Amino acid sequence: MAKLFGTDGMRGEAGRFPLDAATVYVAGRSLARQLNARARDSGRHPPRIVTGRDTRESGAWIEEAFINGAREAGAQVESAGIITTPGVAYLARTLPADAGVVISASHNPYQDNGIKIFAPSGRKLDDATERLIEADIEAEKGKNLNSIEPTDSIEAEAEAEHAAALRERYSNYLAEEVADKLTLEGLSLVVDCANGAAFEIAPALFKQLGARVVRLNDKPDGRNINLDCGSLHIEGLQHKVEDARADLGVAFDGDADRALFVDAGGQFVDGDATLWVMAQYLSERGRLDGETVVATVMSNLGLELALRSKGLRLLRTDVGDKYVLEELLRTKAALGGEQSGHIIFPRLSLAGDGMITTLCLLRAMRESGARLDELTAGFTRYPQILVNVRVREKLPFDEVETIAHAARETEEQLGETGRLLLRYSGTEPLARVMVEGERQDLIERYANDLAAVIKTAIG
């Protein structure tokens, strides 16, 4: 049976398996059946599902196919329309619903789409339920399914009003709870919405809190989501911050679960630098539980050394916010995230939320009275190089003596001011050699030498 769900849900090209209407319909029906079984066992009401989507042109029909499948299996389904991924996670937790479903492919181009499912806690759906949905999809392949009927116009109008109310519920949570007592009067912000799910809610939120807001990439047309904008293309935001003489620039991705920043001088501030700022802020206030930050193996060595200089500890996980969250919950830490801008504050939300991240960073700036460039001081990003090697088989590196020996030599040469990471790609026949250190010329040599050994052994 094919594994359709990855760490970010089920993704693919819209209109092609598994993101064709028939398969999405089966996925919706299957989820409702799993939830129905749990509801019967616990004596609760029929399952309640809340859905939402980003601005891709395929989002509306994919969402409708999923909803029709879920309703056919007896679920009560409410759509929030165009809303951020963490917005759906919030609604699933607070309505409460039995599941939240997001139709989005995050930072991917518009041709792609995906289905991400949240449990009522705001955590992503458990693996066991995903496997059951995959089994139902496999069993239904090639069968004729019920046609998907368009929604009645009067019903559609009522649902649109309800969707607006759900979005307002999430906006009020951000403005009244997360941003409690935070005023942005006198601050100028440039907000790059990536022509995605945050295109209305983000500028409105920061304006409501008193900031002067310059909007960027806030006119989605179904095909321009993430197109040369947002968190993947920070250059436009840098230019706009400098031109507008703004205090801060923020760039979201298509579903706004991540946020990256630009300081007043136009300098890029990534997720590692954001973790550094927030770790100091929380630690100084006695709120960094265990004096620990959780990040992934891809976070820069400079973050680890900067935290160590303050007596703080960095715990690393595999790549993916799913693994960061698992470690946060296991250790009861208060802060974690990824270089890419997924930051998790588990006391506020178990889902990465770009707007929560932005509000927390703005609070740190306001309470300290410091500019962002002042708050990021002390964090020095070390040079990093990544070399990919195509391999014929993925043998454990420590079981291939020539590779293991070369890796040990590299680590000895790097010492305490360098880092080697060897791993395989999860989707391609590639070995990835990542080396960090103080000098670019040395790390390039170390990485290329080790890549050559890997190529000879298993390439």
Side-chain angles (χ1 to χ4, degrees):
M1 182 178 70
K3 188 175 185 295
L4 303 177
F5 283 89
T7 57
D8 261 330
M10 185 167 69
R11 280 195 192 169
E13 185 179 343
R16 298 173 64 90
F17 180 85
L19 269 299
D20 58 285
T23 304
V24 170
Y25 179 90
V26 172
R29 188 175 64 187
S30 177
L31 174 64
R33 285 175 176 170
Q34 319 304 330
L35 298 177
N36 248 323
R38 296 177 193 176
R40 283 194 301 270
D41 292 343
S42 62
R44 295 199 317 272
H45 58 280
R48 184 182 191 184
I49 300 173
V50 61
T51 67
R53 65 183 189 273
D54 66 22
T55 56
R56 294 162 209 274
E57 63 179 11
S58 60
W61 66 258
I62 291 176
E63 184 183 26
E64 187 166 11
F66 192 96
I67 288 173
N68 284 348
R71 285 176 175 166
E72 195 251 340
Q76 174 192 342
V77 188
E78 305 161 59
S79 171
I82 293 175
I83 188 172
T84 68
T85 287
V88 173
Y90 166 79
L91 292 171
R93 185 175 83 246
T94 59
L95 285 175
D98 295 278
V101 178
V102 183
I103 310 301
S104 173
S106 186
H107 56 279
N108 286 23
Y110 85 92
Q111 296 94 334
D112 294 336
N113 218 321
I115 298 172
K116 188 182 296 185
I117 306 174
F118 289 93
S121 64
R123 296 185 70 175
K124 291 173 186 174
L125 188 67
D126 62 277
D127 292 343
T129 305
E130 288 180 349
R131 300 294 84 78
L132 291 171
I133 294 173
E134 289 169 348
D136 285 345
I137 289 172
E138 181 69 24
E140 294 287 350
K141 268 186 179 179
K143 292 185 180 180
N144 291 323
L145 301 169
N146 296 337
S147 61
I148 300 170
E149 299 294 335
T151 305
D152 177 83
S153 59
I154 296 176
E155 181 185 348
E157 185 176 339
E159 290 191 352
E161 291 179 2
H162 186 61
L166 291 175
R167 292 194 296 273
E168 185 177 10
R169 181 186 180 113
Y170 173 57
S171 296
N172 290 341
Y173 160 70
L174 293 172
E176 296 168 10
E177 295 186 43
V178 179
D180 181 40
K181 298 183 177 63
L182 174 65
T183 175
L184 303 182
E185 293 289 343
L187 273 183
S188 174
L189 305 182
V190 179
V191 182
D192 185 343
C193 303
N195 293 311
F199 82 101
E200 289 183 325
I201 187 173
L205 171 67
F206 301 124
K207 185 176 180 181
Q208 179 184 346
L209 295 174
R212 182 175 72 85
V213 176
V214 179
R215 302 163 68 115
L216 198 61
N217 301 306
D218 65 333
K219 295 177 175 58
D221 62 10
R223 295 190 170 198
N224 61 0
I225 185 170
N226 300 314
L227 182 62
D228 299 326
C229 62
S231 62
L232 290 182
H233 302 277
I234 212 77
E235 302 84 6
L237 178 62
Q238 290 176 300
H239 293 314
K240 195 68 175 179
V241 166
E242 292 181 290
D243 290 346
R245 296 184 178 178
D247 298 292
L248 181 72
V250 54
F252 300 108
D253 62 338
D255 66 340
D257 62 350
R258 69 174 75 179
L260 295 172
F261 302 96
V262 171
D263 67 25
Q267 296 301 304
F268 175 48
V269 177
D270 69 359
D272 285 345
T274 303
L275 287 172
W276 165 241
V277 172
M278 294 313 306
Q280 293 178 95
Y281 172 83
L282 293 172
S283 179
E284 289 165 3
R285 288 156 181 79
R287 287 160 42 199
L288 189 67
D289 297 344
E291 298 292 83
T292 296
V293 176
V294 178
T296 77
V297 292
M298 294 307 295
S299 277
N300 194 273
L301 176 63
L303 173 62
E304 187 170 350
L305 297 177
L307 290 172
R308 192 183 302 165
S309 74
K310 294 288 186 178
L312 308 178
R313 179 174 62 144
L314 181 70
L315 291 180
R316 293 184 183 270
T317 72
D318 288 339
V319 176
D321 59 335
K322 171 183 177 180
Y323 302 111
V324 172
L325 177 58
E326 287 175 356
E327 188 68 10
L328 283 169
L329 296 176
R330 188 188 71 80
T331 60
K332 297 181 172 56
L335 175 67
E338 296 186 279
Q339 198 176 57
S340 60
H342 284 114
I343 309 295
I344 301 176
F345 300 88
R347 290 178 178 173
L348 295 173
S349 174
L350 298 185
D353 188 324
M355 280 183 286
I356 288 180
T357 300
T358 306
L359 290 171
C360 289
L361 188 69
L362 286 165
R363 189 182 293 279
M365 291 172 62
R366 282 310 229 185
E367 290 187 10
S368 66
R371 302 186 310 269
L372 183 54
D373 64 299
E374 295 172 324
L375 294 179
T376 56
F379 166 59
T380 301
R381 186 175 290 100
Y382 273 50
Q384 183 184 91
I385 183 171
L386 177 66
V387 178
N388 292 321
V389 183
R390 187 164 292 276
V391 296
R392 60 180 181 272
E393 54 184 334
K394 295 181 179 180
L395 297 174
F397 295 115
D398 57 2
E399 292 183 8
V400 183
E401 180 53 35
T402 55
I403 297 175
H405 177 72
R408 286 193 298 270
E409 280 194 338
T410 302
E411 288 175 330
E412 288 173 5
Q413 290 168 320
L414 288 167
E416 292 188 0
T417 57
R419 187 168 69 100
L420 166 67
L421 175 64
L422 280 181
R423 66 187 184 97
Y424 288 110
S425 166
T427 57
E428 299 175 274
L430 296 175
R432 304 196 191 280
V433 182
M434 192 275 284
V435 181
E436 290 177 328
E438 293 179 297
R439 287 177 50 185
Q440 185 72 35
D441 59 335
L442 287 180
I443 64 170
E444 286 181 7
R445 191 180 80 204
Y446 296 153
N448 288 323
D449 287 350
L450 184 50
V453 172
I454 294 172
K455 185 176 182 180
T456 299
I458 56 175

